[in-house]
Amino acid sequence: MGEQRLLITGGTSGIGLATACRFAERGASVAILARKEAGLRAAQERTAAAGARCLAYPVDVTDREALETAVGDAAEALGGLDAAVANVGASTYGRFRDTPAPDFDRVLDVSFRSIVDTVRVALPHLEESGGSLVVVGSLASGLPLPRMSAYTAAKHAVRGFVETLRIELEAQDSGVSLSLVEPGPVDTPFWDNVASADGILPPSFPFPYGPEEVAIAIDDCVARRTRRATVGGEWALARAGYRAARPLAERALGGALRLVERGGGRGRGRAAIWEPSGAGDLYRGMRRRPSLLVRARHALANRRTPARDERRGGTGIDGICEMTLETRDPDGLARFYVDLLGCERVSREDERIWLSCGTHTRLGIWSPGEKEYGDRGGRHVHFALSSTPGGLDSLATRLRGRQIEHRGPVSHKGGDRSLYLEDPEGNVVEIWDFFEREDGARHGVSALG
């Protein structure tokens, strides 16, 4: 993830802050958009502690013009965007007939329309980089939450919007991946900032998930270009049960309504959704737990070779051996291989940077100087792309999106294909797809993955 450029809305508390911290800890540059300046300063301090660059932009995401300006400024300051996370949300709490119309509309503006506007203004920047767009929804998109009708309606709308837009992007051969992350209840300050006419807050959900679990799911979506991720196995089952067992499930939710109407503590009343709230806090303070579903998916994903997974539209690479390159700008050259080809930065030893390219290749980028015996610095790099059908085309789409000059894919005798490009040091990189035809052995290369 090193050198990645991330923009995130709602990054001053809860899920947004956890995501900003996770990306920052792994070397990404982060731009956070939120309303409360004190929260932005607190978020900057947290991410700076990880040694990352963090830019803060105070903006109300429901102000379309201000949002467009902030996203444009962030993209310019970062030199582009590789990923964007649309994360903001707000809710009322109370029966629909008791919810003032302006409060209902405010929830739709924050939890749906601002998501659409964020996607609208971030998409052109991500088209240039072939990047990733992640939208944070909710399991409420398929499981009604009594006394939270505006929030539930907004999350249904978010899901419909994302799934429709994804079809359009794929039909246009866009290099942008679009992911929807849908968590169940999460221990964040969100629950202290719902609006209600009587000031009563929702009761605490038993054993919610930590915001770090959602951050892991977002991280995986960016890294693996996953279409959808659920945080909370039990709640995913509950949603499936609701779909399968109506009207019985509706009667059960009606019974639950009588329980939740008892409410929890007292909040800020209607002002909660109209005033800035993010103060740099990760949690509300409930008894949170990890998501076994997220952890299992994350562990499984890390065992896969990215370019082998067709569903993820992988543009990563897997190689054939260890290579070393000599350069006067190790960090700049490493950035090329990390950002464009999906390598991962492993370590740095003085003036030597080591990258992992899939599971079978290590790429060393060294400053000029004396090396171990036999190593004189390479001027030609030959990568073999272990790809499912379409993997090489996905990479070509990403190169076009970034306006990187290349040749190919070129067809070779026997049906194999490859493409060629040069890195910033003039090294020729040839990327093959012959593993999708199981021809690796004939080329003297053992099967990968």
Side-chain angles (χ1 to χ4, degrees), residues 296-314:
R297 188 189 299 119
H298 180 69
L300 180 62
N302 284 333
R303 294 179 57 190
R304 291 183 175 136
T305 300
R308 280 187 175 272
D309 196 337
E310 179 181 11
R311 291 175 302 171
R312 288 163 172 75

PDB file of all heavy atoms in Angstrom, residues 296-314:
ATOM      1  N   ALA A 296     -11.575 -13.983   8.715  1.00  0.00           N
ATOM      2  CA  ALA A 296     -11.400 -15.169   7.874  1.00  0.00           C
ATOM      3  C   ALA A 296     -11.232 -14.777   6.415  1.00  0.00           C
ATOM      4  O   ALA A 296     -10.373 -15.307   5.705  1.00  0.00           O
ATOM      5  CB  ALA A 296     -12.601 -16.105   8.039  1.00  0.00           C
ATOM      6  N   ARG A 297     -12.039 -13.818   5.965  1.00  0.00           N
ATOM      7  CA  ARG A 297     -11.926 -13.364   4.575  1.00  0.00           C
ATOM      8  C   ARG A 297     -10.577 -12.704   4.324  1.00  0.00           C
ATOM      9  O   ARG A 297      -9.960 -12.899   3.276  1.00  0.00           O
ATOM     10  CB  ARG A 297     -13.059 -12.382   4.260  1.00  0.00           C
ATOM     11  CG  ARG A 297     -13.146 -12.002   2.793  1.00  0.00           C
ATOM     12  CD  ARG A 297     -14.128 -10.873   2.567  1.00  0.00           C
ATOM     13  NE  ARG A 297     -15.462 -11.220   2.973  1.00  0.00           N
ATOM     14  CZ  ARG A 297     -16.144 -10.586   3.927  1.00  0.00           C
ATOM     15  NH1 ARG A 297     -15.585  -9.582   4.579  1.00  0.00           N
ATOM     16  NH2 ARG A 297     -17.365 -10.947   4.230  1.00  0.00           N
ATOM     17  N   HIS A 298     -10.112 -11.932   5.296  1.00  0.00           N
ATOM     18  CA  HIS A 298      -8.828 -11.249   5.155  1.00  0.00           C
ATOM     19  C   HIS A 298      -7.690 -12.258   5.084  1.00  0.00           C
ATOM     20  O   HIS A 298      -6.781 -12.135   4.250  1.00  0.00           O
ATOM     21  CB  HIS A 298      -8.629 -10.309   6.337  1.00  0.00           C
ATOM     22  CG  HIS A 298      -7.342  -9.545   6.303  1.00  0.00           C
ATOM     23  ND1 HIS A 298      -7.082  -8.562   5.374  1.00  0.00           N
ATOM     24  CD2 HIS A 298      -6.238  -9.623   7.093  1.00  0.00           C
ATOM     25  CE1 HIS A 298      -5.877  -8.063   5.592  1.00  0.00           C
ATOM     26  NE2 HIS A 298      -5.347  -8.687   6.617  1.00  0.00           N
ATOM     27  N   ALA A 299      -7.735 -13.283   5.951  1.00  0.00           N
ATOM     28  CA  ALA A 299      -6.688 -14.306   5.937  1.00  0.00           C
ATOM     29  C   ALA A 299      -6.699 -15.077   4.620  1.00  0.00           C
ATOM     30  O   ALA A 299      -5.641 -15.374   4.049  1.00  0.00           O
ATOM     31  CB  ALA A 299      -6.878 -15.253   7.113  1.00  0.00           C
ATOM     32  N   LEU A 300      -7.885 -15.393   4.130  1.00  0.00           N
ATOM     33  CA  LEU A 300      -7.985 -16.129   2.870  1.00  0.00           C
ATOM     34  C   LEU A 300      -7.483 -15.285   1.703  1.00  0.00           C
ATOM     35  O   LEU A 300      -6.767 -15.783   0.830  1.00  0.00           O
ATOM     36  CB  LEU A 300      -9.444 -16.543   2.629  1.00  0.00           C
ATOM     37  CG  LEU A 300      -9.722 -17.342   1.344  1.00  0.00           C
ATOM     38  CD1 LEU A 300      -8.959 -18.658   1.359  1.00  0.00           C
ATOM     39  CD2 LEU A 300     -11.218 -17.595   1.193  1.00  0.00           C
ATOM     40  N   ALA A 301      -7.839 -14.002   1.703  1.00  0.00           N
ATOM     41  CA  ALA A 301      -7.416 -13.118   0.613  1.00  0.00           C
ATOM     42  C   ALA A 301      -5.908 -13.000   0.555  1.00  0.00           C
ATOM     43  O   ALA A 301      -5.321 -12.940  -0.527  1.00  0.00           O
ATOM     44  CB  ALA A 301      -8.050 -11.739   0.774  1.00  0.00           C
ATOM     45  N   ASN A 302      -5.259 -12.989   1.712  1.00  0.00           N
ATOM     46  CA  ASN A 302      -3.811 -12.838   1.739  1.00  0.00           C
ATOM     47  C   ASN A 302      -3.086 -14.103   1.314  1.00  0.00           C
ATOM     48  O   ASN A 302      -1.879 -14.089   1.137  1.00  0.00           O
ATOM     49  CB  ASN A 302      -3.355 -12.425   3.137  1.00  0.00           C
ATOM     50  CG  ASN A 302      -3.648 -10.970   3.403  1.00  0.00           C
ATOM     51  OD1 ASN A 302      -3.713 -10.168   2.491  1.00  0.00           O
ATOM     52  ND2 ASN A 302      -3.853 -10.620   4.656  1.00  0.00           N
ATOM     53  N   ARG A 303      -3.807 -15.187   1.164  1.00  0.00           N
ATOM     54  CA  ARG A 303      -3.200 -16.421   0.646  1.00  0.00           C
ATOM     55  C   ARG A 303      -3.317 -16.505  -0.868  1.00  0.00           C
ATOM     56  O   ARG A 303      -2.713 -17.356  -1.493  1.00  0.00           O
ATOM     57  CB  ARG A 303      -3.894 -17.642   1.259  1.00  0.00           C
ATOM     58  CG  ARG A 303      -3.677 -17.794   2.748  1.00  0.00           C
ATOM     59  CD  ARG A 303      -4.411 -18.993   3.279  1.00  0.00           C
ATOM     60  NE  ARG A 303      -4.017 -20.209   2.595  1.00  0.00           N
ATOM     61  CZ  ARG A 303      -4.643 -21.382   2.734  1.00  0.00           C
ATOM     62  NH1 ARG A 303      -5.697 -21.467   3.509  1.00  0.00           N
ATOM     63  NH2 ARG A 303      -4.222 -22.447   2.077  1.00  0.00           N
ATOM     64  N   ARG A 304      -4.110 -15.614  -1.454  1.00  0.00           N
ATOM     65  CA  ARG A 304      -4.329 -15.660  -2.903  1.00  0.00           C
ATOM     66  C   ARG A 304      -3.326 -14.792  -3.635  1.00  0.00           C
ATOM     67  O   ARG A 304      -2.816 -13.821  -3.111  1.00  0.00           O
ATOM     68  CB  ARG A 304      -5.736 -15.148  -3.236  1.00  0.00           C
ATOM     69  CG  ARG A 304      -6.864 -16.072  -2.780  1.00  0.00           C
ATOM     70  CD  ARG A 304      -8.176 -15.478  -3.250  1.00  0.00           C
ATOM     71  NE  ARG A 304      -9.264 -16.392  -2.948  1.00  0.00           N
ATOM     72  CZ  ARG A 304     -10.419 -16.006  -2.432  1.00  0.00           C
ATOM     73  NH1 ARG A 304     -10.621 -14.743  -2.146  1.00  0.00           N
ATOM     74  NH2 ARG A 304     -11.374 -16.880  -2.205  1.00  0.00           N
ATOM     75  N   THR A 305      -3.068 -15.148  -4.884  1.00  0.00           N
ATOM     76  CA  THR A 305      -2.335 -14.269  -5.788  1.00  0.00           C
ATOM     77  C   THR A 305      -3.357 -13.331  -6.411  1.00  0.00           C
ATOM     78  O   THR A 305      -4.286 -13.788  -7.062  1.00  0.00           O
ATOM     79  CB  THR A 305      -1.648 -15.092  -6.889  1.00  0.00           C
ATOM     80  OG1 THR A 305      -0.754 -16.003  -6.274  1.00  0.00           O
ATOM     81  CG2 THR A 305      -0.884 -14.178  -7.822  1.00  0.00           C
ATOM     82  N   PRO A 306      -3.211 -12.030  -6.233  1.00  0.00           N
ATOM     83  CA  PRO A 306      -4.259 -11.109  -6.673  1.00  0.00           C
ATOM     84  C   PRO A 306      -4.681 -11.297  -8.114  1.00  0.00           C
ATOM     85  O   PRO A 306      -5.859 -11.277  -8.428  1.00  0.00           O
ATOM     86  CB  PRO A 306      -3.624  -9.724  -6.458  1.00  0.00           C
ATOM     87  CG  PRO A 306      -2.603  -9.944  -5.398  1.00  0.00           C
ATOM     88  CD  PRO A 306      -2.088 -11.334  -5.594  1.00  0.00           C
ATOM     89  N   ALA A 307      -3.712 -11.495  -9.017  1.00  0.00           N
ATOM     90  CA  ALA A 307      -4.063 -11.549 -10.440  1.00  0.00           C
ATOM     91  C   ALA A 307      -4.751 -12.845 -10.814  1.00  0.00           C
ATOM     92  O   ALA A 307      -5.254 -12.970 -11.915  1.00  0.00           O
ATOM     93  CB  ALA A 307      -2.799 -11.378 -11.289  1.00  0.00           C
ATOM     94  N   ARG A 308      -4.796 -13.849  -9.885  1.00  0.00           N
ATOM     95  CA  ARG A 308      -5.480 -15.093 -10.196  1.00  0.00           C
ATOM     96  C   ARG A 308      -6.972 -15.007  -9.941  1.00  0.00           C
ATOM     97  O   ARG A 308      -7.710 -15.874 -10.358  1.00  0.00           O
ATOM     98  CB  ARG A 308      -4.911 -16.236  -9.356  1.00  0.00           C
ATOM     99  CG  ARG A 308      -3.616 -16.802  -9.895  1.00  0.00           C
ATOM    100  CD  ARG A 308      -3.222 -18.043  -9.088  1.00  0.00           C
ATOM    101  NE  ARG A 308      -2.050 -18.665  -9.645  1.00  0.00           N
ATOM    102  CZ  ARG A 308      -2.078 -19.572 -10.601  1.00  0.00           C
ATOM    103  NH1 ARG A 308      -3.210 -19.923 -11.126  1.00  0.00           N
ATOM    104  NH2 ARG A 308      -0.961 -20.105 -11.053  1.00  0.00           N
ATOM    105  N   ASP A 309      -7.427 -13.989  -9.238  1.00  0.00           N
ATOM    106  CA  ASP A 309      -8.820 -13.915  -8.847  1.00  0.00           C
ATOM    107  C   ASP A 309      -9.593 -13.075  -9.846  1.00  0.00           C
ATOM    108  O   ASP A 309      -9.570 -11.867  -9.791  1.00  0.00           O
ATOM    109  CB  ASP A 309      -8.932 -13.325  -7.442  1.00  0.00           C
ATOM    110  CG  ASP A 309     -10.298 -13.594  -6.838  1.00  0.00           C
ATOM    111  OD1 ASP A 309     -11.263 -13.818  -7.602  1.00  0.00           O
ATOM    112  OD2 ASP A 309     -10.394 -13.578  -5.620  1.00  0.00           O
ATOM    113  N   GLU A 310     -10.287 -13.720 -10.747  1.00  0.00           N
ATOM    114  CA  GLU A 310     -10.965 -13.019 -11.831  1.00  0.00           C
ATOM    115  C   GLU A 310     -12.013 -12.058 -11.303  1.00  0.00           C
ATOM    116  O   GLU A 310     -12.199 -10.971 -11.822  1.00  0.00           O
ATOM    117  CB  GLU A 310     -11.635 -14.031 -12.752  1.00  0.00           C
ATOM    118  CG  GLU A 310     -12.395 -13.404 -13.915  1.00  0.00           C
ATOM    119  CD  GLU A 310     -13.048 -14.451 -14.782  1.00  0.00           C
ATOM    120  OE1 GLU A 310     -13.080 -15.623 -14.366  1.00  0.00           O
ATOM    121  OE2 GLU A 310     -13.535 -14.093 -15.854  1.00  0.00           O
ATOM    122  N   ARG A 311     -12.695 -12.428 -10.213  1.00  0.00           N
ATOM    123  CA  ARG A 311     -13.759 -11.584  -9.711  1.00  0.00           C
ATOM    124  C   ARG A 311     -13.237 -10.248  -9.224  1.00  0.00           C
ATOM    125  O   ARG A 311     -13.949  -9.269  -9.151  1.00  0.00           O
ATOM    126  CB  ARG A 311     -14.492 -12.289  -8.569  1.00  0.00           C
ATOM    127  CG  ARG A 311     -15.299 -13.490  -9.019  1.00  0.00           C
ATOM    128  CD  ARG A 311     -15.889 -14.179  -7.820  1.00  0.00           C
ATOM    129  NE  ARG A 311     -14.839 -14.600  -6.895  1.00  0.00           N
ATOM    130  CZ  ARG A 311     -15.091 -15.081  -5.683  1.00  0.00           C
ATOM    131  NH1 ARG A 311     -16.326 -15.137  -5.245  1.00  0.00           N
ATOM    132  NH2 ARG A 311     -14.103 -15.473  -4.901  1.00  0.00           N
ATOM    133  N   ARG A 312     -11.975 -10.193  -8.854  1.00  0.00           N
ATOM    134  CA  ARG A 312     -11.418  -8.957  -8.346  1.00  0.00           C
ATOM    135  C   ARG A 312     -10.799  -8.111  -9.448  1.00  0.00           C
ATOM    136  O   ARG A 312     -10.213  -7.078  -9.179  1.00  0.00           O
ATOM    137  CB  ARG A 312     -10.363  -9.259  -7.274  1.00  0.00           C
ATOM    138  CG  ARG A 312     -11.034  -9.753  -6.003  1.00  0.00           C
ATOM    139  CD  ARG A 312     -10.066 -10.435  -5.086  1.00  0.00           C
ATOM    140  NE  ARG A 312     -10.697 -10.728  -3.811  1.00  0.00           N
ATOM    141  CZ  ARG A 312     -11.560 -11.688  -3.600  1.00  0.00           C
ATOM    142  NH1 ARG A 312     -11.934 -12.449  -4.598  1.00  0.00           N
ATOM    143  NH2 ARG A 312     -12.084 -11.893  -2.402  1.00  0.00           N
ATOM    144  N   GLY A 313     -10.898  -8.563 -10.702  1.00  0.00           N
ATOM    145  CA  GLY A 313     -10.361  -7.764 -11.798  1.00  0.00           C
ATOM    146  C   GLY A 313      -8.904  -7.443 -11.576  1.00  0.00           C
ATOM    147  O   GLY A 313      -8.429  -6.360 -11.816  1.00  0.00           O
ATOM    148  N   GLY A 314      -8.136  -8.417 -11.055  1.00  0.00           N
ATOM    149  CA  GLY A 314      -6.795  -8.145 -10.564  1.00  0.00           C
ATOM    150  C   GLY A 314      -5.884  -7.523 -11.595  1.00  0.00           C
ATOM    151  O   GLY A 314      -5.865  -7.895 -12.750  1.00  0.00           O
TER     152      GLY A 314
END
